[in-house]
């Protein structure tokens, strides 16, 4: 069973702020009931309670449900990802060693998929429009050394991401232009 982060600190908070039984707290935090009793009986020096409501591990309704029924067990809420909070995926990070290879990937995409727009290439490879334009016009500072390389094999994107971008580009190409 999944346990909350910082189980003892969570137990301290639950003891201080709820009317849950020691058994319920022990079960939720993965502690022995005697540990919970000890935490309740003595002032734990230097340990502040951790609010499981603020950290998104419990809901107020869940605590209230278990306070009403001593046989009920607290259930940990599923973790919330940054994507669901922000409504978008997190930014793409490229290691420093891979950044130097990005112009090679741009050259490969331009060579094999000329129908992709600069902005689509930028999103796919996490680069900037000036870099794409410099590689396209061969004015990039390292232009003589750029050799087209597959971005998938270099780890700059996945096959699914490339397929998705290509599908969007083909749909845009087939739509009637006003």
């Amino acid at each position: 069973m999944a346990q909350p982060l910082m189980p003892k600190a969570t137990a301290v908070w639950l003891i201080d702020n709820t009317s849950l039984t020691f058994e319920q707290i022990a079960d939720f935090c993965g502690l022995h009931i005697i540990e919970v009793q000890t935490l309740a009986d003595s002032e734990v020096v230097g340990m502040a309670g951790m609010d499981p409501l603020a950290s998104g591990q419990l809901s107020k309704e869940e605590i209230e449900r278990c306070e009403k029924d001593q046989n009920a067990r607290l259930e940990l809420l599923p973790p919330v990802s940054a994507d669901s909070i922000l409504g978008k995926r997190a930014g793409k990070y490229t290691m420093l060693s891979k950044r130097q290879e990005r112009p090679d990937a741009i050259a490969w995409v331009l060579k094999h998929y000329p129908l992709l727009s600069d902005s689509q290439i930028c999103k796919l490879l996490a680069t900037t429009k000036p870099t794409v334009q410099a590689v396209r016009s061969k004015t990039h500072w390292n232009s003589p050394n750029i050799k087209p390389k597959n971005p998938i094999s270099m780890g700059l994107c996945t096959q699914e991401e490339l397929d998705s971008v290509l599908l969007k580009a083909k749909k845009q190409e087939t739509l009637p232009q006003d």
Side-chain angles (χ1 to χ4, degrees), residues 29-44:
C29 294
L31 301 172
H32 194 276
I33 193 166
I34 295 173
E35 285 181 282
V36 176
Q37 288 174 338
T38 304
L39 289 171
D41 292 341
S42 64
E43 290 293 319
V44 181

Side-chain angles (χ1 to χ4, degrees), residues 144-159:
N145 299 322
I146 295 176
K147 294 178 180 39
K149 292 182 187 169
N150 188 333
I152 298 165
S153 63
M154 293 171 22
L156 292 174
C157 69
T158 64
Q159 184 66 49

